[in-house]
Amino acid sequence: MVNSLLLQVLIALLPVGTFQVWFSRQRQLRHSRLFIGVVSGLCMLLGHFYMIQNGPVILDLGFVSVITASLYGGFPFAVVLSAAYMLLHVHGEDLADVVGFLAFFIVYLLILYKVSPSFRLKNRYAKMRTVALLWAVASLSFLVPAVVSYIDGTAARDSEFLMACAAYLIAFILITHLSVYFIEIAYERVSLQSQLLDLTRQYKSESIRMRRFLDMVPLAVIFIDAKGMITHVNEIALEMGKHVADNVVGMHYTELARLMGLDATASIIQLILNKGERVSSEMFKIQGRTMLATASSVNETGARGISEGVVYIAQDVTDTQRLKDELDKMERLSLVGQMAASITHEIRNPMAVIRGFVQLLNERSPSEQRSYFRIVMEELDRANAIINDFLSLAQNRIVEKETSSLQSVLKDMLPLIWADANLRGQSVELELCEEQDVLELNGKEIKQLILNLARNGLEAMDEKGVLRIETRDLEDRVQLYVSDTGNGIPPEKVERLFEPFYTTKEQGTGLGLALCLSIAERHDGRIEVQSSVGEGTTFIVTFCKSGYACWVAAE
């Protein structure tokens, strides 16, 4: 009897033992229900051969396998194994046994149907309470027949059998709990393994992303641990040093600084590691480039945690520094320009006085000396014109505009242009569009622009030259074409035409076209030059109509 009971204990523990060995990977989870159900059914059949029966009292731990299969294999396994267990233990000649077993399994299945859907979602403590409910019901099915048979004397009353019954009941309770406990441990173990694999995979993925990011950013990045050993360096940092090999990982930072010739870099890292500084910065030059380096402490738990090392980042600020220098230079030039404009403005007053007295002397001087005074007044007028152009260019003021058409402004200037052309023996051709949309213009500045372009064209031609003026009204813009038949301008000079004080004429000041460009830009316009050597030059002035964004696509 004792041997049979011990064999039943081993067989009852067999499902959980085999499950512990078999269930080792997360991918086996989808087959775990089938595995537990099949193994529990086989163990139930195997345990039946070693059951102990004394009258109506049956000692069979195979019902532990039924409970295990019911909870983890699912309700279908519960029905199948319950029916098989009942068929194995009920004999047809005893109707009372059949009714008793049937009533027990109906109650058992109803309880199981209620608790099984949410069983897998419960915590371990709640699962143990469910298991306790099931073995309590099963224990009642054993105790009731045992008490009845003991009272009516249908079963033997020897002490050995009573001890076997007590051992059976204790083993039944313990094995049921142990089976569920170890199966839950197996599930938790595999779940932890799966989480660990996911975290490891995620860590590797993030590490790869971080390394790729560090290699792609235009920054030199070096990671240094608490002992001063280099743990990572990106490609930009390796390119900073000519004599630095690729295998610098594991090298001490002082050795790398020595190879790269950056003693200051070693000093700011030393401030972090040895002096407890959080952030330290420096600027240095290497290979003709200006670099801004920052070393920052990497703490384990925030600002006051234990330092785990240093992250060193160096950024190429050569272009930024050059731009800063250019801005400083522009500010100084702007100040000089403002001073020059103020001084030039004050020069005009004494020049006007000088011209007045020269004119007075001219009227009172002998006729043979008047040519000298006329030359002086012409040069004073030329100097005054240069001053006016310089002031117009330097001030770059906000102009008052009014609604007008380019056509009307151009017609006001035609008599003056025709007069200049006649004095030179040249002609003017016009091709003006019939209708033209209005623009927001400053009439005085547009007249100056037209006159400068027209006179440049006239001065670029010999006698019999033809100045052609044309206007075009497009959907979003109005264009002015001023063409001459002169010798044209070489390409290398075209690029510099609008630079202040650059001129292609012997007596030019180099301010006329610069002033034209300034006027066009104040009117949201642009100037283009088309020139061919030996064929002539065309200036195209384009004004954008109100409500259109003409230059967005070009920019």
Side-chain angles (χ1 to χ4, degrees):
M1 184 180 296
V2 176
N3 293 335
S4 297
L5 189 59
L6 289 176
L7 285 174
Q8 288 191 55
V9 170
L10 293 176
I11 294 170
L13 289 173
L14 189 61
V16 67
T18 55
F19 184 74
Q20 289 278 343
V21 175
W22 173 80
F23 189 50
S24 59
R25 297 174 184 173
Q26 183 68 21
R27 64 185 182 185
Q28 294 172 320
L29 180 62
R30 58 181 178 178
H31 303 300
S32 61
R33 289 175 175 268
L34 179 62
F35 182 88
I36 292 176
V38 172
V39 173
S40 297
L42 293 175
C43 291
M44 182 195 71
L45 294 175
L46 182 62
H48 177 70
F49 294 103
Y50 298 98
M51 72 174 185
I52 302 170
Q53 186 170 4
N54 189 347
V57 180
I58 299 175
L59 305 181
D60 185 3
L61 291 176
F63 198 73
V64 175
S65 300
V66 177
I67 294 177
T68 304
S70 301
L71 294 176
Y72 291 98
F75 194 74
F77 275 105
V79 174
V80 172
L81 294 186
S82 297
Y85 187 86
M86 186 175 66
L87 292 175
L88 290 173
H89 294 84
V90 175
H91 303 286
E93 63 273 8
D94 192 346
L95 183 60
D97 291 344
V98 175
V99 174
F101 265 96
L102 184 60
F104 161 70
F105 279 110
I106 290 175
V107 173
Y108 170 77
L109 292 175
L110 288 175
I111 295 174
L112 186 65
Y113 182 79
K114 183 178 180 180
V115 300
S116 61
S118 60
F119 180 78
R120 296 294 300 273
L121 304 176
K122 296 178 180 179
N123 56 33
R124 189 184 298 176
Y125 178 73
K127 288 180 179 179
M128 289 302 175
R129 285 189 302 175
T130 302
V131 172
L133 175 63
L134 293 177
W135 66 249
V137 174
S139 298
L140 287 175
S141 67
F142 160 74
L143 290 173
V144 170
V147 172
V148 171
S149 62
Y150 186 80
I151 293 173
D152 60 15
T154 55
R157 299 185 180 183
D158 57 331
S159 60
E160 183 181 357
F161 182 72
L162 292 177
M163 291 178 63
C165 290
Y168 165 81
L169 189 60
I170 293 172
F172 179 80
I173 296 172
L174 290 177
I175 293 172
T176 305
H177 276 286
L178 288 174
S179 297
V180 173
Y181 177 78
F182 283 112
I183 289 175
E184 289 298 318
I185 286 180
Y187 277 121
E188 290 177 4
R189 183 188 71 244
V190 173
S191 177
L192 289 175
Q193 290 176 355
S194 177
Q195 293 178 19
L196 180 61
L197 288 174
D198 291 341
L199 288 175
T200 304
R201 197 177 298 113
Q202 184 178 359
Y203 170 78
K204 290 182 179 179
S205 177
E206 292 297 329
S207 178
I208 292 173
R209 287 197 191 100
M210 181 60 68
R211 290 179 182 273
R212 288 178 180 174
F213 171 76
L214 292 177
D215 290 336
M216 290 176 62
V217 295
L219 302 171
V221 182
I222 302 174
F223 286 95
I224 303 166
D225 63 16
K227 296 181 180 179
M229 309 304 292
I230 297 173
T231 59
H232 179 74
V233 57
N234 68 347
E235 295 293 333
I236 303 297
L238 292 175
E239 293 173 1
M240 286 173 54
K242 295 182 179 179
H243 306 290
V244 179
D246 294 339
N247 55 345
V248 297
V249 175
M251 182 186 297
H252 199 270
Y253 75 91
T254 55
E255 180 66 16
L256 179 62
R258 186 186 64 79
L259 291 175
M260 298 176 68
L262 301 176
D263 295 334
T265 293
S267 65
I268 67 169
I269 296 175
Q270 187 175 6
L271 288 175
I272 304 297
L273 291 177
N274 300 335
K275 300 291 183 65
E277 297 285 341
R278 289 187 57 196
V279 179
S280 183
S281 301
E282 63 155 345
M283 291 191 70
F284 62 90
K285 286 186 175 292
I286 184 171
Q287 300 182 17
R289 309 292 292 178
T290 303
M291 308 294 291
L292 173 63
T294 301
S296 178
S297 175
V298 179
N299 295 330
E300 182 179 351
T301 55
R304 299 183 179 179
I306 301 173
S307 177
E308 292 185 337
V310 178
V311 56
Y312 175 87
I313 300 175
Q315 180 182 4
D316 188 348
V317 294
T318 305
D319 296 335
T320 305
Q321 189 67 29
R322 186 182 296 119
L323 180 60
K324 182 179 180 298
D325 295 340
E326 290 293 331
L327 288 175
D328 293 340
K329 183 179 178 181
M330 290 293 291
E331 289 180 358
R332 292 194 296 270
L333 289 176
S334 176
L335 180 60
V336 172
Q338 293 176 10
M339 294 175 60
S342 300
I343 295 172
T344 305
H345 180 73
E346 296 299 327
I347 290 176
R348 288 195 303 180
N349 293 331
M351 286 183 61
V353 175
I354 293 172
R355 192 184 187 287
F357 280 103
V358 169
Q359 187 174 1
L360 181 61
L361 291 173
N362 182 39
E363 294 175 356
R364 296 180 180 182
S365 64
S367 57
E368 63 272 10
Q369 296 181 354
R370 291 181 179 178
S371 60
Y372 302 127
F373 289 109
R374 186 177 67 253
I375 293 173
V376 173
M377 287 189 293
E378 288 177 354
E379 290 302 314
L380 286 172
D381 290 340
R382 192 164 74 88
N384 191 56
I386 293 173
I387 292 172
N388 289 334
D389 288 345
F390 177 76
L391 289 175
S392 298
L393 181 64
Q395 289 173 356
N396 197 20
R397 59 193 179 278
I398 299 175
V399 297
E400 297 291 336
K401 301 175 185 178
E402 59 183 12
T403 302
S404 178
S405 68
L406 182 63
Q407 203 95 321
S408 61
V409 178
L410 182 59
K411 289 179 179 179
D412 292 340
M413 297 299 299
L414 286 178
L416 184 58
I417 297 173
W418 273 324
D420 287 349
N422 288 334
L423 289 175
R424 300 171 183 272
Q426 299 166 340
S427 60
V428 179
E429 293 183 358
L430 299 176
E431 186 176 344
L432 307 181
C433 55
E434 297 180 358
E435 297 182 2
Q436 193 176 86
D437 288 344
V438 294
L439 302 169
E440 294 294 325
L441 303 175
N442 179 276
K444 182 180 178 180
E445 289 202 336
I446 298 300
K447 288 179 181 179
Q448 188 174 8
L449 181 146
I450 295 172
L451 186 60
N452 283 354
L453 293 179
R455 284 179 173 172
N456 279 350
L458 294 174
E459 292 172 0
M461 298 184 295
D462 297 330
E463 293 184 1
K464 308 302 181 182
V466 179
L467 181 71
R468 181 181 178 83
I469 299 177
E470 178 185 354
T471 58
R472 297 181 184 179
D473 187 7
L474 305 179
E475 179 181 358
D476 60 343
R477 64 193 71 187
V478 175
Q479 292 182 319
L480 169 68
Y481 286 72
V482 180
S483 306
D484 63 65
T485 57
N487 294 326
I489 306 172
E492 63 274 8
K493 293 184 177 181
V494 170
E495 297 178 356
R496 302 187 58 191
L497 280 180
F498 297 100
E499 293 182 9
F501 305 108
Y502 178 80
T503 180
T504 59
K505 297 181 290 187
E506 294 182 359
Q507 299 296 326
T509 63
L511 294 174
L513 288 178
L515 180 60
C516 290
L517 178 61
S518 178
I519 292 172
E521 289 178 345
R522 285 198 289 270
H523 287 78
D524 192 24
R526 296 192 176 182
I527 300 181
E528 301 175 48
V529 182
Q530 296 177 354
S531 183
S532 299
V533 177
E535 297 181 5
T537 303
T538 301
F539 286 87
I540 306 171
V541 186
T542 304
F543 299 96
C544 187
K545 293 182 180 180
S546 179
Y548 289 91
C550 305
W551 320 122
V552 173
E555 294 174 353

